[in-house]
Amino acid sequence: ALAAGAAGAGAAELMKNLANRCRDEMDKRIAKDAPEKRLLRALLRTDDDETKKTILQRAFEPKEGLALSFGEDYGKDAAKKTQEGPEVDPTKFIAACQQLIADFGNIDDNGEPLMVRINQIAAIAETVATELYGDVTSAREQQDLMWNEATTSVFDLEAAELAAEQKGEQMPWHNDSYDGKLPDGFTADQAGQYIKKVGGG
């Protein structure tokens, strides 16, 4: 079509758009349960850094949903906006990049290893994620963030383990003898039912 000159330009553009649409549909089927892989495939086909950044922003930004009320609640707040997660989790995307590098990073990609292009995509992704969610500079800060959101920091658990080891003690999860032990005040009957003793008897 391109050899036909101006007359074939429209046909060439149509075929290019059709091929891109076919690739997008194949990506949806191949990576149905792994949106991070679908995103990575789309980015590997894109040469322009600004286009990559736009695609990543759309994938990483939190989405808003719409919750409709029915029944007794109908009419009060018939439609409420809800905050939903991003289409692609940035940490899962980076993990997909790392996995692709581990599996195919040394394959030739136009004269250089594929890992070079994947690392460039990962750098753009990190920039976009930082713009959207802020900068968490260390694993400790990430764990502290999780702690403040009512989860346990692995660094705090590690500190407790080290303190116990220095005293010559073990944490309960390191000692199998705690597996059958009941908390104070509890006993088990012959049927294996747990009984809590209350009062003096």
Side-chain angles (χ1 to χ4, degrees):
L2 289 174
E13 184 67 24
L14 176 68
M15 294 304 287
K16 181 180 175 184
N17 290 339
L18 185 60
N20 287 338
R21 180 70 179 168
C22 287
R23 273 193 223 104
D24 290 343
E25 289 302 316
M26 286 177 60
D27 283 351
K28 286 179 187 175
R29 289 193 178 129
I30 290 171
K32 186 176 183 180
D33 298 328
E36 61 276 2
K37 291 180 181 177
R38 183 174 66 233
L39 176 60
L40 184 53
R41 288 170 58 97
L43 291 168
L44 284 169
R45 288 194 303 268
T46 306
D47 293 327
D48 180 44
D49 284 351
E50 283 303 313
T51 305
K52 288 177 186 172
K53 188 172 182 179
T54 303
I55 291 169
L56 284 162
Q57 284 170 336
R58 274 192 237 139
F60 288 173
E61 68 188 2
K63 305 291 187 266
E64 282 188 350
L66 192 62
L68 300 176
S69 61
F70 295 99
E72 294 176 13
D73 294 333
Y74 184 73
K76 295 176 185 171
D77 286 319
K80 295 180 188 175
K81 287 189 176 182
T82 60
Q83 191 71 21
E84 298 185 10
E87 181 183 329
V88 177
D89 182 344
T91 55
K92 289 183 178 178
F93 177 75
I94 296 299
C97 290
Q98 291 170 339
Q99 186 62 47
L100 189 60
I101 288 172
D103 294 342
F104 303 105
N106 61 348
I107 291 178
D108 182 50
D109 180 42
N110 296 326
E112 62 184 8
L114 180 61
M115 102 174 107
V116 172
R117 193 151 52 117
I118 297 169
N119 282 331
Q120 291 168 346
I121 290 170
I124 296 170
E126 185 178 353
T127 302
V128 169
T130 301
E131 288 172 1
L132 290 172
Y133 297 104
D135 189 19
V136 178
T137 56
S138 71
R140 174 68 189 222
E141 287 179 9
Q142 179 65 31
Q143 288 298 320
D144 288 342
L145 177 66
M146 292 298 108
W147 171 257
N148 293 332
E149 293 178 3
T151 61
T152 303
S153 167
V154 295
F155 293 103
D156 293 334
L157 291 175
E158 180 189 29
E161 285 179 354
L162 292 174
E165 286 175 9
Q166 287 176 353
K167 293 177 186 176
E169 300 172 357
Q170 280 189 320
M171 297 304 286
W173 54 85
H174 286 159
N175 190 341
D176 294 338
S177 67
Y178 284 99
D179 288 350
K181 190 172 181 183
L182 296 175
D184 291 337
F186 281 85
T187 59
D189 62 13
Q190 292 178 343
Q193 299 292 322
Y194 298 123
I195 302 167
K196 167 79 170 142
K197 292 185 179 179
V198 180

